[in-house]
Amino acid sequence: YNELGIDSTTEGVDFEVVQQPEKKKLGLFGGKDAKVKVTFKEKESPAKVATDYLRNILNALGLTEIEMTVKEDEDGAEINLEGEGIGYVIGRRGDTLNALQYLTGLVANHVENNYYRISINTGNYREKREKTLEILGRKLAFKASKTGAKTALEPMNPYERRIIHAAVAEVVGCTSRSVGEDPYRKVLISSTEKRPYSSRSNSDRGDRRQGDRRGRGDRKRRDFKARSLDISSSFEKDYKKPKPEDELGS
């Protein structure tokens, strides 16, 4: 082992004992050295490990007809998926696709203990999603600039949050920041322009409330006057009516 510069703990190497050693008879005759067959296994690349892992997951989900195309570069690999049932792989707003990409990336990074970027795409979904987020970010930024209202988006992964931040940065008078903790971290869009405090609306509301109170008081006084016009009792009313004996006496 030492002559080859390896030992039994070296990764990617298999040892097979072909012949056991034999001692010399009487210390003089015979004797044989052991024979060991050493096989160096070809080390799998991070991309190969990632695709094998992803294939096992897809097979477990019953998506055996999906085809994978791998494009490698210096920093990582892009895996493109095509085939029947691809909608299940994407999931709601790409949640399933993002989860598969995250898990596959973890497996690939453990091969050489170095960062290896894994991107999983299907039918240009990533490009379409990026365009949608750019439009959404600019739209909400213009709204915040016009109204001054803050807008909180739904939770997103770091990649999608960066797209929103870049889109908002193109709009003058707006800013964005990420709030919360993963996996619920989201983007908050707001205006950077300070709006002067307006007391007109408050005074108008106060005048309306004062007018309503005066109106209710006037109605109460009118009702009281209307009820107080006739204060005669029923006895007095009956007493003042003409009686038959009054006519006889006349």
Side-chain angles (χ1 to χ4, degrees):
Y1 294 169
N2 294 334
E3 293 178 0
L4 297 176
I6 58 176
D7 55 36
S8 58
T9 62
T10 303
E11 295 183 0
V13 180
D14 286 339
F15 299 93
E16 180 184 356
V17 178
V18 179
Q19 177 180 297
Q20 295 291 342
E22 295 181 3
K23 295 182 178 180
K24 292 182 179 181
K25 297 178 181 179
L26 302 177
L28 299 173
F29 306 101
K32 295 181 181 179
D33 294 331
K35 293 183 179 181
V36 179
K37 181 180 180 181
V38 180
T39 304
F40 291 89
K41 296 187 295 183
E42 182 179 355
K43 192 173 184 179
E44 293 183 333
S45 66
K48 179 65 166 57
V49 174
T51 52
D52 289 344
Y53 173 79
L54 182 59
R55 172 59 67 189
N56 291 334
I57 293 181
L58 295 177
N59 290 341
L61 295 174
L63 304 174
T64 57
E65 301 299 324
I66 292 182
E67 299 180 358
M68 291 189 294
T69 304
V70 183
K71 182 180 179 181
E72 296 187 59
D73 54 31
E74 296 180 357
D75 300 326
E78 179 180 351
I79 304 174
N80 193 60
L81 306 179
E82 296 290 344
E84 184 179 355
I86 203 66
Y88 294 103
V89 177
I90 296 176
R92 179 180 177 273
R93 298 182 180 176
D95 288 344
T96 305
L97 190 66
N98 291 334
L100 290 175
Q101 177 174 291
Y102 175 74
L103 295 174
T104 306
L106 289 180
V107 173
N109 283 307
H110 276 81
V111 175
E112 297 179 350
N113 292 325
N114 293 323
Y115 176 73
Y116 191 84
R117 177 184 52 81
I118 290 292
S119 175
I120 302 179
N121 199 0
T122 172
N124 294 327
Y125 171 81
R126 297 289 185 189
E127 291 77 5
K128 296 176 183 177
R129 176 67 172 168
E130 182 175 346
K131 291 294 183 182
T132 300
L133 292 176
E134 288 176 352
I135 295 173
L136 177 63
R138 285 193 293 267
K139 179 181 178 180
L140 294 178
F142 282 119
K143 179 181 178 182
S145 177
K146 182 178 179 180
T147 64
K150 296 181 180 180
T151 303
L153 281 72
E154 63 181 5
M156 297 180 180
N157 58 53
Y159 171 74
E160 293 186 343
R161 292 199 303 269
R162 285 194 294 269
I163 296 175
I164 295 293
H165 290 315
V168 173
E170 298 177 359
V171 180
V172 178
C174 283
T175 185
S176 62
R177 59 189 178 94
S178 296
V179 295
E181 300 293 336
D182 289 326
Y184 306 106
R185 194 167 175 80
K186 54 190 176 181
V187 177
L188 182 66
I189 301 175
S190 59
S191 174
T192 58
E193 298 179 357
K194 294 184 178 180
R195 295 176 176 269
Y197 177 75
S198 176
S199 60
R200 180 178 179 182
S201 58
N202 293 333
S203 62
D204 291 344
R205 286 194 296 269
D207 293 341
R208 286 197 296 271
R209 287 195 295 268
Q210 187 67 23
D212 292 340
R213 287 195 292 268
R214 286 198 297 266
R216 287 194 296 270
D218 293 341
R219 286 194 297 272
K220 289 181 179 179
R221 285 193 294 271
R222 287 196 298 268
D223 294 341
F224 176 76
K225 290 179 180 179
R227 289 193 297 269
S228 62
L229 290 177
D230 187 3
I231 60 175
S232 301
S233 64
S234 59
F235 175 78
E236 291 176 327
K237 292 178 181 179
D238 294 338
Y239 181 79
K240 292 179 179 180
K241 289 180 180 180
K243 299 179 178 55
E245 53 269 24
D246 292 337
E247 295 179 358
L248 292 176
S250 60

